[in-house]
Amino acid sequence: MVAAQPLLKERTDAPHAAAPYDVEAVRREFPILGRTVHDRPGRTGKPLTFLDSAASAQKPRQVMDAVRHAYEAEYANVHRGLHWLSMRATDRYEAARETVRAFLNAKATSEIVFTKGATEAINLVANSFGRTFLQEGDEVVLSEMEHHANIVPWQLLRESHGIVIKVVPVDDDGRLDLDAYQALLGPRTKLVAVTHCSNVLGTVNPVKSMIAMAHERDIAVLLDGSQGAVHLPVDVRDLDADFYVFTGHKLYGPTGIGVLYGKRHWLDRMPPYQGGGEMIHTVSFERTTFAETPAKFEAGTPPFVQAIGLAAAIDYVSGLGREAVAAHEHDLLVYATEKLEAIPGVTILGRVPGKAAIVSFTMDCAHPHDIGTIIDFEGVAIRAGHHCAQPLMERFGVAATARASFGLYNTLGDVDRLVAALETVREMFGR
Amino acid sequence: MSDDLRELYQELVLDHGRHPRNRRHPDSFNHEAFGKNPMCGDALVVYLMLDPQGVVTDCAFMGEGCAISMASASLMTEIVRGKTVDQANALFAAFQHLATGEGEVDESVLDEDDLDRLQALSGVRQFPIRVKCATLAWHTLHAAMQGEEMVSTE
Ligand SMILES: Cc1ncc(COP(=O)(O)O)c(C=O)c1O
């Protein structure tokens, strides 16, 4: 990989480079990356080039070991058993909450609610915060680059409670229009719900100043950190976010686990989202009193093994060094952008400086679905479609895009394989 | 290039995918339907002119999509012209059969030449998530003939 040299050099010169990032050592922790795809009896397929981490990331051994250990050695229901094993499982679950607290730099573990994903966390806020603090005619400000998970819950609230949804537009490079944002913040605005980082464009939004602008008018802000928590350091106190949500499976953790961070000030005043066990103080048929946060929001047996797995993922990522990972991903982004732009007919959507390693593109000769199918045969896994962001697709006048998204285990060679596979597409369609 | 891939993107498919025939808004038509594949967002409109005897005198479509969906729509518009509604329905059934392997085909009512051309799209059978790309146009045609305005592949 001769062409990769200048980028590597750039990295060694950078001040943060203590030890070089050993991506091959990292890859050895992800057993799945060693497999081939499209295997047939009597024929080995192609080595996997996995460029779909923004949809869901692969898992390191550390996570699988933690999950396995939780089932093998420390499994019993949490918070209800008086027996030793239940207390041990409870300790592990609560330790996971502490890991998440530290990861987000939240003030207290009582501000960390486990959910089954980002989607459930947003629905929780839409229901509980929405029903309590929003009235007919009140406004929620979203952005044009939101994932459906941060659109549809608010539309449901619009149907049930008559709230009004306002949308911050995106410019041609994929940047939020901050003047328009400022102008949308009005006397009826009660909440801003925007993504920290776009899952399509890679744009990292200036959320700290957006929060400051909202807070000047006493408007609460929810950040969708599904991609942000993966690619960026997050400090909810520095950001002063009211709510921050993310999802475990994109952060190299298990499926079925997500996090809602909420300021205690809000969580204390919000009613439960679902009813059941775990979340009560006392129950009689006349009257039930609820537990304190976070238990109040965790009805039923929680996904505690998954929470333990998520904590292992956070430990793993933190152990690699978030700056080192970010620098590595930046190298991948720079290299991929350069290589893709050199292919005739390729257009990249999302060109805001400081973006995360997510590259959406179109080709003038082929539809994204054809691109996806064809390069899959070379073992290259990308996502092709609307990425659950149809309003954004409409904004850019496309039905779909192809998207290569990078994780901490990708290499410059992965980019080369993507580019080579796209040449096959051009051979087939480029006439 | 792999054989499966060649199966899927046969020359006829690539040709019709790149240069779809009858992709136009006809001046006159008496049936139309809108078809959508919610999974991928592809959408198209099929326009149909049926004469009093129920014979298709013109069939056209508008829309954009992948090579498979464009090729399928394009081939369909050529094949159904001059057919009766019953024959077009039989072709729809035959096409579904060859795209999914499901259902029965009554070959006696079908033209061998037409079947040969449709066969070019049978490669989708190996690609379950692409089957709907191939069948969208036919579902939409079916809806238009039934007098329905809208159809979804979900
Ligand atoms: C920006 C963004 N928000 C929300 C989600 C939803 O995450 P989940 O499906 O894990 O709840 C995703 C991922 O699909 C995403 O990329």
Side-chain angles (χ1 to χ4, degrees):
Chain A
M1 256 185 302
V2 180
Q5 285 299 321
L7 284 165
L8 287 171
K9 195 137 174 287
E10 194 179 297
R11 188 172 67 210
T12 349
D13 291 344
H16 58 250
Y21 185 80
D22 187 353
V23 68
E24 289 308 325
V26 168
R27 290 177 71 80
R28 283 193 290 276
E29 307 291 3
F30 290 81
I32 202 168
L33 297 178
R35 73 158 295 164
T36 50
V37 292
H38 294 288
D39 305 300
R40 291 249 172 109
R43 193 196 73 188
T44 310
K46 299 269 182 173
L48 171 66
T49 299
F50 189 75
L51 297 174
D52 195 20
S53 297
S56 200
Q58 301 298 348
K59 320 302 171 200
R61 276 183 216 284
Q62 286 79 350
V63 168
M64 292 180 277
D65 288 349
V67 169
R68 188 179 182 94
H69 181 79
Y71 283 126
E72 261 180 12
E74 301 188 314
Y75 188 82
N77 208 335
V78 291
H79 291 311
R80 9 188 117 161
L82 284 175
H83 54 81
W84 187 89
L85 203 52
S86 170
M87 287 188 287
R88 172 59 71 95
T90 305
D91 285 350
R92 291 287 185 254
Y93 181 47
E94 292 307 319
R97 201 185 302 277
E98 166 55 25
T99 302
V100 172
R101 183 208 64 74
F103 180 69
L104 297 177
N105 194 32
K107 196 151 61 183
T109 49
S110 58
E111 298 177 318
I112 305 299
V113 179
F114 284 116
T115 63
K116 75 178 164 72
T119 303
E120 190 185 41
I122 297 171
N123 276 279
L124 191 163
V125 176
N127 276 273
S128 176
F129 178 92
R131 276 189 279 132
T132 312
F133 297 107
L134 298 185
Q135 271 146 30
E136 193 176 335
D138 282 345
E139 296 165 7
V140 172
V141 171
L142 309 178
S143 89
E144 212 169 13
M145 64 170 81
E146 296 313 308
H147 187 281
H148 296 167
N150 196 27
I151 299 175
V152 183
W154 307 110
Q155 291 174 329
L156 294 177
L157 197 64
R158 178 169 67 190
E159 271 164 41
S160 64
H161 285 68
I163 63 150
V164 176
I165 294 172
K166 301 270 172 158
V167 183
V168 187
V170 169
D171 75 11
D172 290 344
D173 286 340
R175 190 185 285 106
L176 287 185
D177 179 342
L178 288 188
D179 291 335
Y181 171 65
Q182 176 78 281
L184 284 177
L185 301 176
R188 299 294 313 256
T189 315
K190 292 287 156 61
L191 183 76
V192 170
V194 293
T195 193
H196 191 179
C197 169
S198 162
N199 64 314
V200 178
L201 307 165
T203 308
V204 176
N205 289 318
V207 289
K208 190 172 173 178
S209 45
M210 291 175 75
I211 290 172
M213 285 155 83
H215 282 178
E216 268 172 33
R217 293 169 170 271
D218 289 327
I219 299 164
V221 179
L222 174 146
L223 296 181
D224 176 357
S226 300
Q227 303 294 339
V230 179
H231 298 288
L232 304 156
V234 180
D235 182 333
V236 290
R237 273 189 284 177
D238 178 55
L239 293 172
D240 202 19
D242 297 277
F243 300 101
Y244 193 97
V245 310
F246 69 94
T247 196
H249 66 96
K250 296 184 203 275
L251 189 61
Y252 311 98
T255 55
I257 186 74
V259 168
L260 165 65
Y261 158 81
K263 279 184 184 166
R264 183 76 196 251
H265 155 79
W266 291 118
L267 295 182
D268 280 347
R269 293 154 67 201
M270 284 159 53
Y273 163 55
Q274 292 175 332
E278 298 275 354
M279 48 77 72
I280 45 84
H281 190 217
T282 57
V283 176
S284 71
F285 281 105
E286 287 70 42
R287 187 179 140 77
T288 293
T289 55
F290 300 115
E292 302 254 289
T293 175
K296 178 168 74 176
F297 298 107
E298 294 182 357
T301 299
F304 60 93
V305 173
Q306 289 75 3
I308 291 164
L310 173 60
I314 290 174
D315 286 342
Y316 174 74
V317 174
S318 308
L320 288 177
R322 300 214 75 197
E323 292 217 342
V325 171
H328 176 70
E329 289 185 357
H330 180 72
D331 290 350
L332 293 167
L333 175 67
V334 170
Y335 187 60
T337 305
E338 188 183 297
K339 285 283 179 179
L340 287 174
E341 274 182 333
I343 302 174
V346 167
T347 305
I348 294 178
L349 273 77
R351 338 189 41 90
V352 180
K355 67 179 260 191
I358 295 173
V359 186
S360 274
F361 62 95
T362 57
M363 289 175 92
D364 61 1
C365 65
H367 187 279
H369 293 150
D370 296 316
I371 300 172
T373 297
I374 292 164
I375 72 175
D376 178 50
F377 269 88
E378 304 298 324
V380 182
I382 61 162
R383 175 132 181 220
H386 52 59
H387 316 289
C388 300
Q390 283 182 341
L392 186 67
M393 297 291 108
E394 196 140 306
R395 157 67 183 82
F396 281 95
V398 292
T401 72
R403 179 188 71 185
S405 56
F406 298 88
L408 49 79
Y409 36 60
N410 288 117
T411 64
L412 298 172
D414 289 337
V415 176
D416 291 334
R417 279 183 288 280
L418 167 67
V419 169
L422 293 176
E423 276 307 318
T424 313
V425 176
R426 292 217 326 128
E427 273 165 35
M428 284 177 77
F429 287 92
R431 276 162 288 157
Chain B
M1 200 187 300
S2 94
D3 293 343
D4 276 346
L5 203 50
R6 260 187 226 294
E7 266 292 301
L8 181 63
Y9 294 105
Q10 297 181 20
E11 268 314 311
L12 190 66
V13 174
L14 286 176
D15 175 30
H16 280 256
R18 275 196 293 263
H19 312 289
R21 323 294 197 263
N22 298 311
R23 184 161 67 178
R24 58 186 160 82
H25 190 287
D27 292 335
S28 53
F29 55 91
N30 49 22
H31 287 70
E32 76 180 304
F34 173 76
K36 190 164 174 65
N37 182 347
M39 200 198 73
C40 67
D42 281 354
L44 50 80
V45 185
V46 168
Y47 306 96
L48 210 54
M49 189 67 163
L50 291 181
D51 74 8
Q53 285 72 46
V55 174
V56 178
T57 57
D58 188 23
C59 181
F61 79 102
M62 290 290 278
E64 273 179 65
C66 63
I68 308 297
S69 68
M70 291 298 100
S72 177
S74 171
L75 284 165
M76 178 188 84
T77 58
E78 290 192 334
I79 288 172
V80 298
R81 186 186 295 224
K83 303 290 191 305
T84 64
V85 168
D86 284 348
Q87 285 170 321
N89 277 328
L91 280 161
F92 176 40
F95 185 69
Q96 275 189 306
H97 175 73
L98 74 88
T100 64
E102 286 159 23
E104 289 287 315
V105 186
D106 179 4
E107 296 201 4
S108 61
V109 298
L110 298 169
D111 181 297
E112 207 167 304
D113 227 38
D114 293 343
L115 282 180
D116 273 356
R117 302 188 77 205
L118 291 180
Q119 198 66 37
L121 282 157
S122 64
V124 293
R125 235 193 252 196
Q126 304 301 325
F127 300 82
I129 61 157
R130 302 300 299 276
V131 167
K132 285 175 177 167
C133 306
T135 54
L136 176 62
W138 286 93
H139 280 288
T140 313
L141 171 75
H142 183 71
M145 294 190 303
Q146 302 283 106
E148 290 161 18
E149 281 169 8
M150 214 129 81
V151 65
S152 160
T153 55
E154 290 293 285

